[in-house]
Amino acid sequence: MGHKVFVSYKYKDNDVASLDGYYKGTARDYVDYLQDHKFSGDDLNKAENDDEDLSEFKDETIRTKLKDKIWDSSVTLVLISPNMVEQFKGEKDQWIPWEIAYSLRTQTKANSRSLPNALIAVALPDRFNSYKYFITHWTYTDENSQKEKNVTTIHTDQTFRIVQNNMFNQKNPITEEVNGETVYFGECSYMIAVEWEDFISNIDSYINRSLGLRDKIGEYNPCKEI
């Protein structure tokens, strides 16, 4: 892989599919899987270890620790899960939006400069092994070529506003109206969205793709505010 990755996720979300060999029954199992099988060294993995419990620290202490991890990474991986959003808690009081916002800031530390991170949203399967809460697919027949085309719909309303605002945010997107729906073509979002199985089957490809978008961040309107 060769790139440092920070993972943002809702530890206690248990509305996810069971992962063979992992027994917490929460989104944390997926982080453990990545650490065990996909990240090629601790220097490349900026997610916290499972025994690194930050819950007993004050919020400002946690922020300091997280800032160090995010600053020392180039990619932020956001694990999308069905209950990642706490409905009765303001987004500014939840960690995931803050982690995404901080990931997009240009930071200077000890005469070193950290550029905004690349962003990838990885949808975890729900307890029914489905992604439909966040990603669905449909097809249409192109009028010119008469060929069937596949369309992926990202249900951005099911997550945080900062996730929504970093998708479909290309300044000059290529779009087409199909059956009353606006269909986007090409790299229309700064934050890539992908299903778990597809992501783990070719992590390097998605990492490199996201870093390519980071190099073209001027073509997007990144949302850095909660």
Side-chain angles (χ1 to χ4, degrees):
M1 186 183 297
H3 299 287
K4 296 182 179 181
V5 180
F6 176 82
V7 184
S8 180
Y9 66 104
K10 182 66 174 177
Y11 189 115
K12 294 183 179 179
D13 191 348
N14 61 2
D15 196 14
V16 294
S18 298
L19 203 55
D20 287 346
Y22 295 86
Y23 306 103
K24 293 183 180 68
T26 71
R28 176 67 213 192
D29 285 340
Y30 290 82
V31 180
D32 290 342
Y33 177 89
L34 290 172
Q35 291 180 329
D36 291 344
H37 301 288
K38 297 299 180 179
F39 292 144
S40 54
D42 187 61
D43 59 323
L44 304 180
N45 165 30
K46 305 312 295 184
E48 84 276 16
N49 296 318
D50 194 35
D51 59 359
E52 188 181 1
D53 185 7
L54 301 181
S55 62
E56 298 302 320
F57 292 100
K58 293 182 179 179
D59 282 0
E60 197 52 46
T61 302
I62 296 174
R63 281 194 179 87
T64 299
K65 290 178 177 293
L66 292 175
K67 283 178 180 180
D68 288 342
K69 289 178 178 291
I70 296 171
W71 187 88
D72 195 31
S73 63
S74 56
V75 179
T76 294
L77 197 66
V78 183
L79 300 187
I80 306 294
S81 58
N83 296 318
M84 68 187 296
V85 180
E86 295 185 50
Q87 298 296 339
F88 300 105
K89 193 174 183 180
E91 292 194 13
K92 289 185 178 181
D93 298 319
Q94 299 184 54
W95 286 111
I96 294 173
W98 179 85
E99 289 166 348
I100 295 171
Y102 195 81
S103 295
L104 287 170
R105 294 172 185 167
T106 300
Q107 306 291 333
T108 301
K109 178 181 176 182
N111 297 320
S112 296
R113 189 166 175 257
S114 175
L115 298 175
N117 278 14
L119 298 178
I120 305 176
V122 180
L124 304 183
D126 67 16
R127 65 178 61 203
F128 303 107
N129 212 34
S130 172
Y131 298 98
K132 290 182 179 179
Y133 71 93
F134 187 65
I135 297 177
T136 54
H137 306 275
W138 54 283
T139 61
Y140 72 96
T141 301
D142 182 78
E143 293 181 355
N144 297 319
S145 66
Q146 293 303 306
K147 292 183 178 179
E148 192 173 77
K149 294 190 175 182
N150 298 313
V151 179
T152 298
T153 298
I154 310 298
H155 299 278
T156 58
D157 59 322
Q158 298 301 307
T159 186
F160 295 106
R161 285 190 299 273
I162 195 168
V163 173
Q164 298 176 39
N165 292 336
N166 280 297
M167 292 183 176
F168 307 106
N169 62 340
Q170 192 175 32
K171 291 179 180 177
N172 297 295
I174 300 171
T175 64
E176 183 179 325
E177 293 298 315
V178 179
N179 300 331
E181 300 286 343
T182 301
V183 176
Y184 288 76
F185 295 86
E187 297 287 13
C188 56
S189 300
Y190 184 72
M191 176 182 274
I192 295 172
V194 58
E195 296 174 2
W196 169 258
E197 279 88 353
D198 291 336
F199 178 70
I200 62 172
S201 69
N202 199 348
I203 287 183
D204 287 350
S205 174
Y206 287 101
I207 294 288
N208 291 332
R209 179 180 157 197
S210 70
L211 290 168
L213 296 182
R214 184 178 75 156
D215 292 339
K216 300 176 182 178
I217 194 170
E219 298 177 12
Y220 297 85
N221 291 309
C223 176
K224 305 178 183 182
E225 301 299 327
I226 304 172

